[in-house]
Amino acid sequence: IQHALHMSQEERVARWQVMSKVLWNSDVSRWAAAFIKDLAANQASRARSRMGPAKRE
């Protein structure tokens, strides 16, 4: 907080622009899609680990 209170206007503007870009590119729909994708990948990974190593023929 101390740093934020004393930073230059140029730094504040630069940081605000970066934050704004992240916020404009991240909405609830994108968050939900990423969450579901990660959840599915995690479940698939857990299922594979329960099956044990693949058998060689």
Side-chain angles (χ1 to χ4, degrees):
I1 293 174
Q2 188 72 11
H3 179 73
L5 291 172
H6 294 94
M7 72 175 62
S8 68
Q9 181 177 359
E10 292 82 16
E11 185 177 0
R12 286 195 311 266
V13 169
R15 288 171 174 257
W16 181 84
Q17 288 173 338
V18 170
M19 179 187 65
S20 293
K21 185 176 181 180
V22 169
L23 292 175
W24 280 109
N25 291 325
S26 302
D27 63 6
V28 69
S29 297
R30 288 183 192 207
W31 179 88
F35 180 82
I36 297 298
K37 181 181 173 186
D38 290 347
L39 181 63
N42 186 293
Q43 288 178 339
S45 175
R46 291 178 75 192
R48 283 191 303 273
S49 68
R50 284 188 292 229
M51 294 172 61
K55 293 182 180 180
R56 293 184 181 204
E57 294 184 28

